[in-house]
Amino acid sequence: MNASTVDRRIRALRPPKNAVDPYRAHGSVVEDERRPDGRLERAVTVFLAGAECPFTCSFCDLWRTTIEGPTPAGALVEQVEGVLATLGDISCERLKLYNSSNFFDKRAVPAEDVPAIAALAAPFGAVTVESHANTIGPTALDFAAQISGRLEVAVGLETIHPAAAAQLNKRLDLARFDRAARFLLDNDIDLRVFVLLGTPHIPVHESVLWTVRTVEYAADRGASVISIIPVRGGNGEIERLQARGDFTPPTLLQLEQALDRCAHIRSSVVTADLWDVERLPACEHCRAARVERIRRFNLTGRTEPSIACDAIHGNVDISALAAVASHHA
Ligand code: SF4
Ligand SMILES: [Zn+2]
């Protein structure tokens, strides 16, 4: 893919990448996740270090943990082996391989490594990988055929707000997403979807609404799991957009509201991504209680009574939240 002017502008604003070792995963986590049948499933996520994604989405900071150039052959196998060796007696049903890029891009995942990765995945009943909708095709079917468990592909839908989606520089239109979703489901592969909260170019008072609409859209297209991800600053471009008034950092309260408004969806598991949740603006009086309420919702899918707080943020005055947070700090 040739870099466009927009790509070059976004890349020019980036701070340096983290130092990553291509032979060592840059992280891993074991956690329980709810599945559409209500069952809790233990999953290990391996955060793989490899080649950078060729897309240049305006909100993305995953490139920080990628390397320059293609992933060396054999490196991902070593990374997965390294993490699995640390599990000891912990038994996980799902292996999530997140490579900060597209698993079906041969530059990111060398074709010669795929059989060894599939062999390492053999003890797991299910495997999740991530991919841009545009790179979902026959390679996904090949991988599904090689693993013994069930394949799930995680795809960023981000937002269905037409004007905002066009500004993300993701090169994804809804028709392409729909085709990818249909292709996966037709081939008995599960679909996981990432949806943004705080998408740039969506007015702040419509932010939660569009997140909920996008979650509903993904649920209608058969997603098993939909994860709401708050947009975070730090990649340079987001700061540029914020300075222009085109981005407002999403708050913890908005994340909770979005999740509450998705509670009616029963066909898909809808969760809030709590990675880096401490960075979300919030009232310090009720922050911890709200995070725990969200954590419980992620596991049970059951809404609970809203959290009472003496601070004035209530359910509406999101823009006052930063002031409330500092007032109570
Ligand atoms: S497709 Fe995914 S990994 Fe690639 S730039 Fe966009 S958000 Fe980042
Ligand atoms: Zn509060």
Side-chain angles (χ1 to χ4, degrees), residues 1 53-55 101-106 130-140 153 155 172 176 180 183:
M1 182 188 302
C53 173
F55 297 91
S101 179
N102 307 295
F103 192 85
F104 306 118
D105 173 0
K106 291 179 173 49
E130 57 187 348
S131 175
H132 191 292
N134 294 6
T135 51
I136 290 172
T139 318
V153 181
V155 182
L172 173 68
R176 184 67 187 89
F183 178 84

Side-chain angles (χ1 to χ4, degrees), residues 282-287 290 307-313 324 328:
C283 161
E284 294 305 331
H285 267 305
C286 55
R287 172 192 287 278
R290 292 188 190 281
I307 286 166
C309 180
D310 290 342
I312 57 165
H313 50 77
V324 171
H328 288 290

Side-chain angles (χ1 to χ4, degrees), residues 66-77:
T66 61
I67 61 168
E68 294 303 324
T71 308
L76 297 182
V77 179

